[in-house]
Amino acid sequence: MAQPDLMPQGHWLVCEYMPTALFSLKSSMATSSVGKTLLVPTPYAVKLAFLDAAFRAGLAEADCAHLVTALAQVEVRLSPPAAAVVTNTFVKVRQENRDKDTVLAQPYGPNIAYRELVYLAGRWRWAFDLRAASTELKETLRQLAPHVAYIGKRGCFVQYVGACWVAEPGGEFTQPVQNHSPWEVPERSHVAFLDDFGPEASLAVLSSYTTASVKRDRHRQFVPTIVPLGQANTGPGFMLYSRGV
């Protein structure tokens, strides 16, 4: 994809990435023992990836805080690769011991956990609706896009390919169920609850180093979303998802 022009030809900035490792991002509603993965990163994860890139690129904390506030007003849609294979695995883990009588002698004990990893055949495309955004935000996102190196869990690496401007994202992108624009259900799809920044999201609240509590629907919200991937095949230890025949 070509680099985005200085004068956008559409309202949506689409950034393209090549997955270079297996993807995994547990649903925020899943337990620690049952790590069922989503097939796409959430808008929340994408925005945090750009925030992480902003810090690593050397932006001041005040600028990063402003970025969070600005991104809270931006809709993000995601286009997954045309096919994805999910592996179903049980692994040995060490978990914190909750038994008060043995916690001092053995803080962590062995356990079994369910984990899923996704192989993606193709590229990610992340679209940002910037029709109401400032010129500053458009330029900031354009400059930060090449600095994003992973999405989801650490180790789920991606390689930046390029970016462009489009008028509207097509049916290969995710769509919120409660959408005011006309849309059609893809040939294969499923509905997932994807988290996003709430309207009052701020760095002071979302930071891992704050004691402030995150309020649902104010700082973080969960959006029922149509994901254009549906189950196409299954077998021992795997599930194949695809966009269509």
Side-chain angles (χ1 to χ4, degrees), residues 166-202:
V166 301
E168 291 289 340
E172 71 275 15
F173 285 84
T174 57
Q175 306 171 68
V177 172
Q178 296 178 344
N179 184 15
H180 298 294
S181 302
W183 51 267
E184 295 182 3
V185 178
E187 182 178 354
R188 283 203 177 109
S189 64
H190 69 278
V191 176
F193 283 83
L194 305 184
D195 56 348
D196 195 357
F197 284 6
E200 300 178 28
S202 67

PDB file of all heavy atoms in Angstrom, residues 166-202:
ATOM      1  N   VAL A 166      -9.266   6.055   2.589  1.00  0.00           N
ATOM      2  CA  VAL A 166     -10.417   5.553   1.838  1.00  0.00           C
ATOM      3  C   VAL A 166     -11.657   6.320   2.273  1.00  0.00           C
ATOM      4  O   VAL A 166     -11.706   6.894   3.370  1.00  0.00           O
ATOM      5  CB  VAL A 166     -10.629   4.038   2.053  1.00  0.00           C
ATOM      6  CG1 VAL A 166      -9.394   3.250   1.608  1.00  0.00           C
ATOM      7  CG2 VAL A 166     -10.971   3.738   3.500  1.00  0.00           C
ATOM      8  N   ALA A 167     -12.663   6.307   1.386  1.00  0.00           N
ATOM      9  CA  ALA A 167     -13.909   7.017   1.703  1.00  0.00           C
ATOM     10  C   ALA A 167     -14.704   6.284   2.772  1.00  0.00           C
ATOM     11  O   ALA A 167     -15.171   6.886   3.740  1.00  0.00           O
ATOM     12  CB  ALA A 167     -14.743   7.182   0.431  1.00  0.00           C
ATOM     13  N   GLU A 168     -14.855   4.959   2.630  1.00  0.00           N
ATOM     14  CA  GLU A 168     -15.585   4.142   3.590  1.00  0.00           C
ATOM     15  C   GLU A 168     -14.983   2.740   3.590  1.00  0.00           C
ATOM     16  O   GLU A 168     -14.622   2.215   2.534  1.00  0.00           O
ATOM     17  CB  GLU A 168     -17.075   4.039   3.238  1.00  0.00           C
ATOM     18  CG  GLU A 168     -17.864   5.325   3.407  1.00  0.00           C
ATOM     19  CD  GLU A 168     -18.063   5.708   4.874  1.00  0.00           C
ATOM     20  OE1 GLU A 168     -17.943   4.829   5.738  1.00  0.00           O
ATOM     21  OE2 GLU A 168     -18.351   6.894   5.116  1.00  0.00           O
ATOM     22  N   PRO A 169     -14.881   2.094   4.759  1.00  0.00           N
ATOM     23  CA  PRO A 169     -14.410   0.703   4.793  1.00  0.00           C
ATOM     24  C   PRO A 169     -15.479  -0.232   4.237  1.00  0.00           C
ATOM     25  O   PRO A 169     -16.667  -0.002   4.422  1.00  0.00           O
ATOM     26  CB  PRO A 169     -14.164   0.450   6.284  1.00  0.00           C
ATOM     27  CG  PRO A 169     -15.051   1.429   6.985  1.00  0.00           C
ATOM     28  CD  PRO A 169     -15.136   2.632   6.099  1.00  0.00           C
ATOM     29  N   GLY A 170     -15.052  -1.293   3.539  1.00  0.00           N
ATOM     30  CA  GLY A 170     -15.991  -2.217   2.911  1.00  0.00           C
ATOM     31  C   GLY A 170     -16.471  -3.307   3.849  1.00  0.00           C
ATOM     32  O   GLY A 170     -16.217  -3.285   5.066  1.00  0.00           O
ATOM     33  N   GLY A 171     -17.146  -4.292   3.293  1.00  0.00           N
ATOM     34  CA  GLY A 171     -17.718  -5.381   4.077  1.00  0.00           C
ATOM     35  C   GLY A 171     -16.700  -6.319   4.665  1.00  0.00           C
ATOM     36  O   GLY A 171     -17.054  -7.171   5.487  1.00  0.00           O
ATOM     37  N   GLU A 172     -15.423  -6.199   4.256  1.00  0.00           N
ATOM     38  CA  GLU A 172     -14.380  -7.041   4.836  1.00  0.00           C
ATOM     39  C   GLU A 172     -13.926  -6.534   6.195  1.00  0.00           C
ATOM     40  O   GLU A 172     -13.098  -7.182   6.851  1.00  0.00           O
ATOM     41  CB  GLU A 172     -13.183  -7.133   3.880  1.00  0.00           C
ATOM     42  CG  GLU A 172     -12.353  -5.869   3.749  1.00  0.00           C
ATOM     43  CD  GLU A 172     -12.903  -4.884   2.721  1.00  0.00           C
ATOM     44  OE1 GLU A 172     -14.066  -5.027   2.309  1.00  0.00           O
ATOM     45  OE2 GLU A 172     -12.149  -3.965   2.330  1.00  0.00           O
ATOM     46  N   PHE A 173     -14.467  -5.399   6.637  1.00  0.00           N
ATOM     47  CA  PHE A 173     -14.142  -4.833   7.944  1.00  0.00           C
ATOM     48  C   PHE A 173     -15.221  -5.193   8.969  1.00  0.00           C
ATOM     49  O   PHE A 173     -16.369  -5.483   8.611  1.00  0.00           O
ATOM     50  CB  PHE A 173     -14.023  -3.308   7.864  1.00  0.00           C
ATOM     51  CG  PHE A 173     -12.761  -2.819   7.224  1.00  0.00           C
ATOM     52  CD1 PHE A 173     -12.650  -2.726   5.849  1.00  0.00           C
ATOM     53  CD2 PHE A 173     -11.670  -2.446   7.996  1.00  0.00           C
ATOM     54  CE1 PHE A 173     -11.487  -2.273   5.252  1.00  0.00           C
ATOM     55  CE2 PHE A 173     -10.503  -1.993   7.420  1.00  0.00           C
ATOM     56  CZ  PHE A 173     -10.406  -1.915   6.036  1.00  0.00           C
ATOM     57  N   THR A 174     -14.829  -5.170  10.240  1.00  0.00           N
ATOM     58  CA  THR A 174     -15.802  -5.369  11.307  1.00  0.00           C
ATOM     59  C   THR A 174     -16.837  -4.253  11.284  1.00  0.00           C
ATOM     60  O   THR A 174     -16.562  -3.139  10.820  1.00  0.00           O
ATOM     61  CB  THR A 174     -15.108  -5.383  12.680  1.00  0.00           C
ATOM     62  OG1 THR A 174     -14.374  -4.155  12.851  1.00  0.00           O
ATOM     63  CG2 THR A 174     -14.163  -6.560  12.816  1.00  0.00           C
ATOM     64  N   GLN A 175     -18.034  -4.553  11.805  1.00  0.00           N
ATOM     65  CA  GLN A 175     -19.108  -3.575  11.848  1.00  0.00           C
ATOM     66  C   GLN A 175     -19.831  -3.674  13.182  1.00  0.00           C
ATOM     67  O   GLN A 175     -20.206  -4.783  13.596  1.00  0.00           O
ATOM     68  CB  GLN A 175     -20.121  -3.837  10.726  1.00  0.00           C
ATOM     69  CG  GLN A 175     -19.539  -3.909   9.336  1.00  0.00           C
ATOM     70  CD  GLN A 175     -20.564  -4.393   8.337  1.00  0.00           C
ATOM     71  OE1 GLN A 175     -21.544  -3.712   8.037  1.00  0.00           O
ATOM     72  NE2 GLN A 175     -20.363  -5.591   7.811  1.00  0.00           N
ATOM     73  N   PRO A 176     -20.021  -2.570  13.884  1.00  0.00           N
ATOM     74  CA  PRO A 176     -20.809  -2.635  15.120  1.00  0.00           C
ATOM     75  C   PRO A 176     -22.244  -3.033  14.804  1.00  0.00           C
ATOM     76  O   PRO A 176     -22.811  -2.620  13.791  1.00  0.00           O
ATOM     77  CB  PRO A 176     -20.716  -1.211  15.674  1.00  0.00           C
ATOM     78  CG  PRO A 176     -20.364  -0.356  14.509  1.00  0.00           C
ATOM     79  CD  PRO A 176     -19.553  -1.204  13.588  1.00  0.00           C
ATOM     80  N   VAL A 177     -22.826  -3.859  15.665  1.00  0.00           N
ATOM     81  CA  VAL A 177     -24.202  -4.312  15.446  1.00  0.00           C
ATOM     82  C   VAL A 177     -25.157  -3.128  15.457  1.00  0.00           C
ATOM     83  O   VAL A 177     -26.057  -3.023  14.620  1.00  0.00           O
ATOM     84  CB  VAL A 177     -24.601  -5.350  16.513  1.00  0.00           C
ATOM     85  CG1 VAL A 177     -26.088  -5.683  16.410  1.00  0.00           C
ATOM     86  CG2 VAL A 177     -23.768  -6.612  16.363  1.00  0.00           C
ATOM     87  N   GLN A 178     -24.959  -2.226  16.415  1.00  0.00           N
ATOM     88  CA  GLN A 178     -25.795  -1.020  16.484  1.00  0.00           C
ATOM     89  C   GLN A 178     -25.132   0.060  15.641  1.00  0.00           C
ATOM     90  O   GLN A 178     -24.469   0.966  16.137  1.00  0.00           O
ATOM     91  CB  GLN A 178     -25.957  -0.580  17.939  1.00  0.00           C
ATOM     92  CG  GLN A 178     -26.689  -1.599  18.790  1.00  0.00           C
ATOM     93  CD  GLN A 178     -26.799  -1.184  20.241  1.00  0.00           C
ATOM     94  OE1 GLN A 178     -26.103  -0.286  20.690  1.00  0.00           O
ATOM     95  NE2 GLN A 178     -27.675  -1.832  20.982  1.00  0.00           N
ATOM     96  N   ASN A 179     -25.348  -0.052  14.339  1.00  0.00           N
ATOM     97  CA  ASN A 179     -24.687   0.818  13.373  1.00  0.00           C
ATOM     98  C   ASN A 179     -25.741   1.638  12.644  1.00  0.00           C
ATOM     99  O   ASN A 179     -26.730   1.105  12.161  1.00  0.00           O
ATOM    100  CB  ASN A 179     -23.883  -0.034  12.384  1.00  0.00           C
ATOM    101  CG  ASN A 179     -23.094   0.813  11.421  1.00  0.00           C
ATOM    102  OD1 ASN A 179     -22.906   2.002  11.631  1.00  0.00           O
ATOM    103  ND2 ASN A 179     -22.634   0.195  10.351  1.00  0.00           N
ATOM    104  N   HIS A 180     -25.513   2.950  12.546  1.00  0.00           N
ATOM    105  CA  HIS A 180     -26.489   3.819  11.905  1.00  0.00           C
ATOM    106  C   HIS A 180     -26.367   3.798  10.382  1.00  0.00           C
ATOM    107  O   HIS A 180     -27.273   4.231   9.689  1.00  0.00           O
ATOM    108  CB  HIS A 180     -26.329   5.254  12.419  1.00  0.00           C
ATOM    109  CG  HIS A 180     -26.566   5.393  13.893  1.00  0.00           C
ATOM    110  ND1 HIS A 180     -27.798   5.179  14.468  1.00  0.00           N
ATOM    111  CD2 HIS A 180     -25.731   5.690  14.916  1.00  0.00           C
ATOM    112  CE1 HIS A 180     -27.730   5.365  15.783  1.00  0.00           C
ATOM    113  NE2 HIS A 180     -26.478   5.671  16.079  1.00  0.00           N
ATOM    114  N   SER A 181     -25.238   3.302   9.867  1.00  0.00           N
ATOM    115  CA  SER A 181     -25.054   3.227   8.424  1.00  0.00           C
ATOM    116  C   SER A 181     -25.584   1.891   7.910  1.00  0.00           C
ATOM    117  O   SER A 181     -25.604   0.900   8.631  1.00  0.00           O
ATOM    118  CB  SER A 181     -23.566   3.370   8.074  1.00  0.00           C
ATOM    119  OG  SER A 181     -23.054   4.597   8.567  1.00  0.00           O
ATOM    120  N   PRO A 182     -25.998   1.817   6.648  1.00  0.00           N
ATOM    121  CA  PRO A 182     -26.477   0.532   6.108  1.00  0.00           C
ATOM    122  C   PRO A 182     -25.329  -0.464   6.003  1.00  0.00           C
ATOM    123  O   PRO A 182     -24.200  -0.117   5.680  1.00  0.00           O
ATOM    124  CB  PRO A 182     -27.012   0.920   4.722  1.00  0.00           C
ATOM    125  CG  PRO A 182     -26.308   2.197   4.372  1.00  0.00           C
ATOM    126  CD  PRO A 182     -26.100   2.911   5.672  1.00  0.00           C
ATOM    127  N   TRP A 183     -25.632  -1.730   6.286  1.00  0.00           N
ATOM    128  CA  TRP A 183     -24.611  -2.770   6.182  1.00  0.00           C
ATOM    129  C   TRP A 183     -25.276  -4.092   5.862  1.00  0.00           C
ATOM    130  O   TRP A 183     -26.467  -4.266   6.037  1.00  0.00           O
ATOM    131  CB  TRP A 183     -23.787  -2.891   7.474  1.00  0.00           C
ATOM    132  CG  TRP A 183     -24.596  -3.018   8.739  1.00  0.00           C
ATOM    133  CD1 TRP A 183     -24.995  -1.993   9.560  1.00  0.00           C
ATOM    134  CD2 TRP A 183     -25.107  -4.206   9.339  1.00  0.00           C
ATOM    135  NE1 TRP A 183     -25.719  -2.474  10.613  1.00  0.00           N
ATOM    136  CE2 TRP A 183     -25.806  -3.834  10.516  1.00  0.00           C
ATOM    137  CE3 TRP A 183     -25.048  -5.554   9.004  1.00  0.00           C
ATOM    138  CZ2 TRP A 183     -26.424  -4.755  11.340  1.00  0.00           C
ATOM    139  CZ3 TRP A 183     -25.664  -6.476   9.834  1.00  0.00           C
ATOM    140  CH2 TRP A 183     -26.342  -6.067  10.989  1.00  0.00           C
ATOM    141  N   GLU A 184     -24.458  -5.022   5.371  1.00  0.00           N
ATOM    142  CA  GLU A 184     -24.929  -6.358   5.048  1.00  0.00           C
ATOM    143  C   GLU A 184     -24.099  -7.365   5.831  1.00  0.00           C
ATOM    144  O   GLU A 184     -22.896  -7.200   5.996  1.00  0.00           O
ATOM    145  CB  GLU A 184     -24.790  -6.627   3.549  1.00  0.00           C
ATOM    146  CG  GLU A 184     -25.675  -5.739   2.686  1.00  0.00           C
ATOM    147  CD  GLU A 184     -25.541  -6.062   1.213  1.00  0.00           C
ATOM    148  OE1 GLU A 184     -24.788  -7.017   0.890  1.00  0.00           O
ATOM    149  OE2 GLU A 184     -26.174  -5.391   0.394  1.00  0.00           O
ATOM    150  N   VAL A 185     -24.762  -8.422   6.296  1.00  0.00           N
ATOM    151  CA  VAL A 185     -24.059  -9.478   7.026  1.00  0.00           C
ATOM    152  C   VAL A 185     -23.189 -10.244   6.034  1.00  0.00           C
ATOM    153  O   VAL A 185     -23.673 -10.683   4.990  1.00  0.00           O
ATOM    154  CB  VAL A 185     -25.053 -10.434   7.717  1.00  0.00           C
ATOM    155  CG1 VAL A 185     -24.300 -11.551   8.425  1.00  0.00           C
ATOM    156  CG2 VAL A 185     -25.915  -9.662   8.705  1.00  0.00           C
ATOM    157  N   PRO A 186     -21.885 -10.387   6.308  1.00  0.00           N
ATOM    158  CA  PRO A 186     -21.011 -11.118   5.395  1.00  0.00           C
ATOM    159  C   PRO A 186     -21.456 -12.567   5.235  1.00  0.00           C
ATOM    160  O   PRO A 186     -22.231 -13.103   6.033  1.00  0.00           O
ATOM    161  CB  PRO A 186     -19.633 -11.036   6.075  1.00  0.00           C
ATOM    162  CG  PRO A 186     -19.733  -9.867   7.015  1.00  0.00           C
ATOM    163  CD  PRO A 186     -21.155  -9.829   7.455  1.00  0.00           C
ATOM    164  N   GLU A 187     -20.939 -13.238   4.188  1.00  0.00           N
ATOM    165  CA  GLU A 187     -21.303 -14.633   3.910  1.00  0.00           C
ATOM    166  C   GLU A 187     -20.973 -15.516   5.099  1.00  0.00           C
ATOM    167  O   GLU A 187     -21.735 -16.405   5.450  1.00  0.00           O
ATOM    168  CB  GLU A 187     -20.548 -15.112   2.665  1.00  0.00           C
ATOM    169  CG  GLU A 187     -20.890 -16.534   2.248  1.00  0.00           C
ATOM    170  CD  GLU A 187     -20.157 -16.934   0.989  1.00  0.00           C
ATOM    171  OE1 GLU A 187     -19.492 -16.082   0.387  1.00  0.00           O
ATOM    172  OE2 GLU A 187     -20.250 -18.117   0.605  1.00  0.00           O
ATOM    173  N   ARG A 188     -19.813 -15.311   5.710  1.00  0.00           N
ATOM    174  CA  ARG A 188     -19.441 -16.002   6.939  1.00  0.00           C
ATOM    175  C   ARG A 188     -19.063 -14.938   7.955  1.00  0.00           C
ATOM    176  O   ARG A 188     -18.289 -14.031   7.661  1.00  0.00           O
ATOM    177  CB  ARG A 188     -18.265 -16.953   6.709  1.00  0.00           C
ATOM    178  CG  ARG A 188     -18.630 -18.249   6.012  1.00  0.00           C
ATOM    179  CD  ARG A 188     -17.608 -19.318   6.320  1.00  0.00           C
ATOM    180  NE  ARG A 188     -17.968 -20.597   5.711  1.00  0.00           N
ATOM    181  CZ  ARG A 188     -17.321 -21.131   4.676  1.00  0.00           C
ATOM    182  NH1 ARG A 188     -16.281 -20.509   4.156  1.00  0.00           N
ATOM    183  NH2 ARG A 188     -17.702 -22.293   4.180  1.00  0.00           N
ATOM    184  N   SER A 189     -19.586 -15.088   9.170  1.00  0.00           N
ATOM    185  CA  SER A 189     -19.295 -14.089  10.195  1.00  0.00           C
ATOM    186  C   SER A 189     -19.682 -14.626  11.564  1.00  0.00           C
ATOM    187  O   SER A 189     -20.316 -15.683  11.678  1.00  0.00           O
ATOM    188  CB  SER A 189     -20.057 -12.784   9.912  1.00  0.00           C
ATOM    189  OG  SER A 189     -21.461 -12.999   9.980  1.00  0.00           O
ATOM    190  N   HIS A 190     -19.313 -13.902  12.592  1.00  0.00           N
ATOM    191  CA  HIS A 190     -19.771 -14.186  13.946  1.00  0.00           C
ATOM    192  C   HIS A 190     -19.785 -12.868  14.714  1.00  0.00           C
ATOM    193  O   HIS A 190     -19.195 -11.873  14.270  1.00  0.00           O
ATOM    194  CB  HIS A 190     -18.872 -15.218  14.651  1.00  0.00           C
ATOM    195  CG  HIS A 190     -17.491 -14.708  14.967  1.00  0.00           C
ATOM    196  ND1 HIS A 190     -16.468 -14.676  14.034  1.00  0.00           N
ATOM    197  CD2 HIS A 190     -16.962 -14.212  16.119  1.00  0.00           C
ATOM    198  CE1 HIS A 190     -15.369 -14.184  14.594  1.00  0.00           C
ATOM    199  NE2 HIS A 190     -15.639 -13.892  15.846  1.00  0.00           N
ATOM    200  N   VAL A 191     -20.465 -12.842  15.830  1.00  0.00           N
ATOM    201  CA  VAL A 191     -20.566 -11.637  16.657  1.00  0.00           C
ATOM    202  C   VAL A 191     -19.680 -11.796  17.883  1.00  0.00           C
ATOM    203  O   VAL A 191     -19.713 -12.826  18.559  1.00  0.00           O
ATOM    204  CB  VAL A 191     -22.023 -11.367  17.086  1.00  0.00           C
ATOM    205  CG1 VAL A 191     -22.087 -10.165  18.027  1.00  0.00           C
ATOM    206  CG2 VAL A 191     -22.900 -11.107  15.861  1.00  0.00           C
ATOM    207  N   ALA A 192     -18.875 -10.783  18.155  1.00  0.00           N
ATOM    208  CA  ALA A 192     -17.991 -10.786  19.321  1.00  0.00           C
ATOM    209  C   ALA A 192     -18.128  -9.452  20.041  1.00  0.00           C
ATOM    210  O   ALA A 192     -18.410  -8.425  19.416  1.00  0.00           O
ATOM    211  CB  ALA A 192     -16.539 -11.013  18.901  1.00  0.00           C
ATOM    212  N   PHE A 193     -17.932  -9.474  21.354  1.00  0.00           N
ATOM    213  CA  PHE A 193     -17.942  -8.243  22.134  1.00  0.00           C
ATOM    214  C   PHE A 193     -16.509  -7.710  22.182  1.00  0.00           C
ATOM    215  O   PHE A 193     -15.636  -8.291  22.833  1.00  0.00           O
ATOM    216  CB  PHE A 193     -18.471  -8.503  23.543  1.00  0.00           C
ATOM    217  CG  PHE A 193     -19.966  -8.658  23.603  1.00  0.00           C
ATOM    218  CD1 PHE A 193     -20.570  -9.875  23.312  1.00  0.00           C
ATOM    219  CD2 PHE A 193     -20.773  -7.578  23.914  1.00  0.00           C
ATOM    220  CE1 PHE A 193     -21.946 -10.021  23.352  1.00  0.00           C
ATOM    221  CE2 PHE A 193     -22.154  -7.710  23.963  1.00  0.00           C
ATOM    222  CZ  PHE A 193     -22.744  -8.928  23.689  1.00  0.00           C
ATOM    223  N   LEU A 194     -16.271  -6.615  21.469  1.00  0.00           N
ATOM    224  CA  LEU A 194     -14.949  -6.010  21.396  1.00  0.00           C
ATOM    225  C   LEU A 194     -14.917  -4.753  22.261  1.00  0.00           C
ATOM    226  O   LEU A 194     -15.803  -3.894  22.155  1.00  0.00           O
ATOM    227  CB  LEU A 194     -14.591  -5.660  19.950  1.00  0.00           C
ATOM    228  CG  LEU A 194     -14.673  -6.808  18.932  1.00  0.00           C
ATOM    229  CD1 LEU A 194     -14.195  -6.325  17.569  1.00  0.00           C
ATOM    230  CD2 LEU A 194     -13.873  -8.013  19.386  1.00  0.00           C
ATOM    231  N   ASP A 195     -13.904  -4.645  23.112  1.00  0.00           N
ATOM    232  CA  ASP A 195     -13.840  -3.475  23.975  1.00  0.00           C
ATOM    233  C   ASP A 195     -13.208  -2.294  23.257  1.00  0.00           C
ATOM    234  O   ASP A 195     -12.469  -2.432  22.285  1.00  0.00           O
ATOM    235  CB  ASP A 195     -13.102  -3.788  25.287  1.00  0.00           C
ATOM    236  CG  ASP A 195     -11.710  -4.341  25.064  1.00  0.00           C
ATOM    237  OD1 ASP A 195     -11.379  -4.701  23.929  1.00  0.00           O
ATOM    238  OD2 ASP A 195     -10.948  -4.408  26.044  1.00  0.00           O
ATOM    239  N   ASP A 196     -13.531  -1.107  23.741  1.00  0.00           N
ATOM    240  CA  ASP A 196     -13.081   0.144  23.136  1.00  0.00           C
ATOM    241  C   ASP A 196     -12.951   1.194  24.226  1.00  0.00           C
ATOM    242  O   ASP A 196     -13.445   1.009  25.354  1.00  0.00           O
ATOM    243  CB  ASP A 196     -14.082   0.588  22.068  1.00  0.00           C
ATOM    244  CG  ASP A 196     -13.529   1.658  21.135  1.00  0.00           C
ATOM    245  OD1 ASP A 196     -12.381   2.110  21.347  1.00  0.00           O
ATOM    246  OD2 ASP A 196     -14.251   2.062  20.208  1.00  0.00           O
ATOM    247  N   PHE A 197     -12.297   2.295  23.915  1.00  0.00           N
ATOM    248  CA  PHE A 197     -12.261   3.425  24.843  1.00  0.00           C
ATOM    249  C   PHE A 197     -13.678   3.943  25.050  1.00  0.00           C
ATOM    250  O   PHE A 197     -14.471   3.997  24.111  1.00  0.00           O
ATOM    251  CB  PHE A 197     -11.419   4.570  24.281  1.00  0.00           C
ATOM    252  CG  PHE A 197      -9.925   4.339  24.358  1.00  0.00           C
ATOM    253  CD1 PHE A 197      -9.397   3.130  24.774  1.00  0.00           C
ATOM    254  CD2 PHE A 197      -9.041   5.351  24.022  1.00  0.00           C
ATOM    255  CE1 PHE A 197      -8.033   2.923  24.845  1.00  0.00           C
ATOM    256  CE2 PHE A 197      -7.670   5.157  24.089  1.00  0.00           C
ATOM    257  CZ  PHE A 197      -7.167   3.943  24.496  1.00  0.00           C
ATOM    258  N   GLY A 198     -13.986   4.330  26.265  1.00  0.00           N
ATOM    259  CA  GLY A 198     -15.242   5.002  26.538  1.00  0.00           C
ATOM    260  C   GLY A 198     -15.119   6.486  26.244  1.00  0.00           C
ATOM    261  O   GLY A 198     -14.017   6.998  26.025  1.00  0.00           O
ATOM    262  N   PRO A 199     -16.222   7.220  26.247  1.00  0.00           N
ATOM    263  CA  PRO A 199     -16.181   8.655  25.914  1.00  0.00           C
ATOM    264  C   PRO A 199     -15.363   9.487  26.895  1.00  0.00           C
ATOM    265  O   PRO A 199     -14.910  10.573  26.543  1.00  0.00           O
ATOM    266  CB  PRO A 199     -17.659   9.062  25.934  1.00  0.00           C
ATOM    267  CG  PRO A 199     -18.341   8.015  26.770  1.00  0.00           C
ATOM    268  CD  PRO A 199     -17.586   6.754  26.543  1.00  0.00           C
ATOM    269  N   GLU A 200     -15.156   8.988  28.119  1.00  0.00           N
ATOM    270  CA  GLU A 200     -14.390   9.732  29.118  1.00  0.00           C
ATOM    271  C   GLU A 200     -13.010   9.123  29.365  1.00  0.00           C
ATOM    272  O   GLU A 200     -12.373   9.401  30.379  1.00  0.00           O
ATOM    273  CB  GLU A 200     -15.175   9.799  30.433  1.00  0.00           C
ATOM    274  CG  GLU A 200     -16.532  10.474  30.318  1.00  0.00           C
ATOM    275  CD  GLU A 200     -17.284  10.480  31.644  1.00  0.00           C
ATOM    276  OE1 GLU A 200     -16.637  10.466  32.708  1.00  0.00           O
ATOM    277  OE2 GLU A 200     -18.537  10.476  31.599  1.00  0.00           O
ATOM    278  N   ALA A 201     -12.536   8.315  28.434  1.00  0.00           N
ATOM    279  CA  ALA A 201     -11.235   7.654  28.597  1.00  0.00           C
ATOM    280  C   ALA A 201     -10.125   8.701  28.698  1.00  0.00           C
ATOM    281  O   ALA A 201     -10.133   9.708  27.994  1.00  0.00           O
ATOM    282  CB  ALA A 201     -10.968   6.727  27.422  1.00  0.00           C
ATOM    283  N   SER A 202      -9.185   8.444  29.589  1.00  0.00           N
ATOM    284  CA  SER A 202      -8.045   9.342  29.765  1.00  0.00           C
ATOM    285  C   SER A 202      -6.843   8.530  30.217  1.00  0.00           C
ATOM    286  O   SER A 202      -6.989   7.442  30.780  1.00  0.00           O
ATOM    287  CB  SER A 202      -8.356  10.436  30.792  1.00  0.00           C
ATOM    288  OG  SER A 202      -8.512   9.871  32.087  1.00  0.00           O
TER     289      SER A 202
END
